[in-house]
Amino acid sequence: MLNVLNLFGGIGLFLFGMNLMGSSLEKLAGSGLEKILQTFTTSKRKGVGAIKGWGLGLGVTGIIQSSAATTIMLIGFVNAGIMTLVQAIPVVFGANVGSTVTAQILRLGDLGSGNIFLQLLKPSSFAHMLLAIGAMIYLFTKKQRLKDVAGIMIGLGTLFYGMTLMEGVFAPLKDSKDFQKFFLSFSNPFIGILTGLVLTAIIQSSSASVGILQALSATGSVTFGIAVPIIIGQNIGKCMTIILGGIGANKKAKRVALSYLLFNVVGAIVISIIVYVIYYTVGIPLFDKAANRGDIANIHLAFNLIISLVLLPFTKQMANITGKILKDSDEVPGNEELAKLDDMLLKTPGIALNQCKEVMSVMGEKIQENYNLAVSLFKEYDKNAFNTLDENENFIDRCETALSNYIVKIERKRLTIDNQSMLNAMLNTIADYERIGDYSMNIAYNAQECNENNIVFSPKGQKEVDTLTDAAATMLSMTFNAADNENMSIAYKIHPLSETINKMKEIVESHHVERLQDGDCGVVGGVALYDLVNCIQGITLHAKSISKHVIKRVSRDERMDALHGKNMDKSSEEYLALVNYYDSRYIAPMIAPVPSEETQTEVAYEADKTETDTANENAAGSHEKAKADKASKHDKNDGKKKPSGKNPEKKKDIADKIETSDSVEKAKQEDKNKKKTGKKKKSGK
């Protein structure tokens, strides 16, 4: 019983030491490992990029001691569109070779004991020394880099100590005939491969399972015939971590995991066929000889090295196979849109600027899609929807980078004054677009956390959240509509709506506190609720910023301030009427959800909408002839002829007019008499 406990203790120390050493090495390297993988996997010369990727995979995995960790990093890069699958696969091949470094370190246990210097190099000799020095450094230093170095030493010492402990457990079995007889069964290829596969899948590390086999070799019972099939199985079993990591991921991530699996499965099949065809026909005398630590390390290295070198020239074919299996294309979503930003078009700056506008329009569509998907996850969580969100967010981030880099290349001197204004507006709003996308993803992560922790809002809380998110959705739609069409009239309406949303935020938070005191809500749900409303508030701020730049561009007033400038008079009848309208539409149901009042509001709104729709039809013939400067002038003229704010019916009439008749505001009246008649009808309503 004590021996069994010692065995599990040795395995535990081995795994802990290997993990500590790898994580410390990774921290010491910082973000350099990711930057290297991200940058140095391409080349203009055919084949050189694959070789560089293979070498980087080997080096990085040799440092962090985990091919699974390297592959998971690659999954993230491919998923983000930073690397293509063809770039990632050579790194996967190199990572498999890098995973053999641990076994090569452990072969030091085979060093002879005749020389005192060689004796000191044995793991059993310097494990304690590494632990002592590492612990002293870790305890008495405050510098993080020194602590990371100490972590490497402690991890390596713990790994060697665990190895020594396992060897001590296996040592008494050296002379056991029953154990030797049992171990001979592993010389059967199928049993050996299955044993290696299961052992590695359980402990989630091929390096650890190879280390156990190296410890067993001290008994003298491990022959080459036993070691070969077990090592082949170990290389298949180590894929379990990657397979588990690929569950729920998108297809690009799954293809990286599949390439890792195919590498080891194809390698196992090919090596097994070659080795055992030779063994059962010609014979391999070496199979009956005992294998030591070094022999096992070499077999492990040879398997991964040979397969990686054989498959490296077929990287593209491997990518195609994974695509066919998972029915996925190598085309990165959004690349066709970013292809519009062609450097050749910089010779015609006006056209290049219009291409930027088209990309920004698509960017806005993806942001709206992400927002709507994110808020829908609170009602019904869907992993596929979350994957779509992730893909869209990657596209939005790439758009932000590509547009910023492209716009600064456009020669301002060759642009018209109007195009220069458009360029300035784009540069000022690109970051706002990207930040709205980030807030949408934060909402999605919030919904994901709620789903994982079974957090559900109360019915009243959910109803308020729905009203708040609907208002924000309306604001986003108006924002991108105003930006795409350079519509100043719509842009004006975003600011009063943002005031309403800020009031709604305060109401939601206040009502939550009341429900919390009454016991209708929980503290955990409140945290999620506050995160959500704060994200909505962040979206509101960036939407206001976008609308400000739209107004500045269309009005040609660069001095105009969005909140206090002459073009945004918050005390005007139109502004106050819009605030009242949005308050009645969104806040009234939250504070006084009386059905009869809602019905009355809907009936009144439909009546007003019918009247304004008729006005729209009368002005439709002249809408296309209207010009932006006359529309702006018309807005200002209207501002001078405001009805008195003392009459609530007139305020409502103004709100309905502004909300639903943009085309009337823009249209040029064909006849001045008709225009006056129209005004008389409205004032007499």
Side-chain angles (χ1 to χ4, degrees), residues 424-457:
N424 291 334
M426 284 184 182
L427 276 177
N428 288 323
T429 55
I430 288 172
D432 289 314
Y433 275 52
E434 194 271 337
R435 287 299 295 141
I436 293 174
D438 288 344
Y439 278 118
S440 298
M441 278 305 299
N442 289 342
I443 292 173
Y445 288 127
N446 191 4
Q448 185 184 51
E449 187 174 352
C450 288
N451 177 68
E452 291 174 352
N453 298 309
N454 295 319
I455 299 172
V456 180
F457 298 144

Side-chain angles (χ1 to χ4, degrees), residues 106-125:
L106 293 176
R107 72 181 301 163
L108 293 172
D110 287 334
L111 293 174
S113 57
N115 187 304
I116 185 64
F117 178 74
L118 294 177
Q119 182 68 24
L120 289 174
L121 288 178
K122 290 174 69 70
S124 57
S125 302

Side-chain angles (χ1 to χ4, degrees), residues 138 343 461 489 527 557:
Y138 190 86
D343 286 348
S489 178
V527 174
D557 187 357

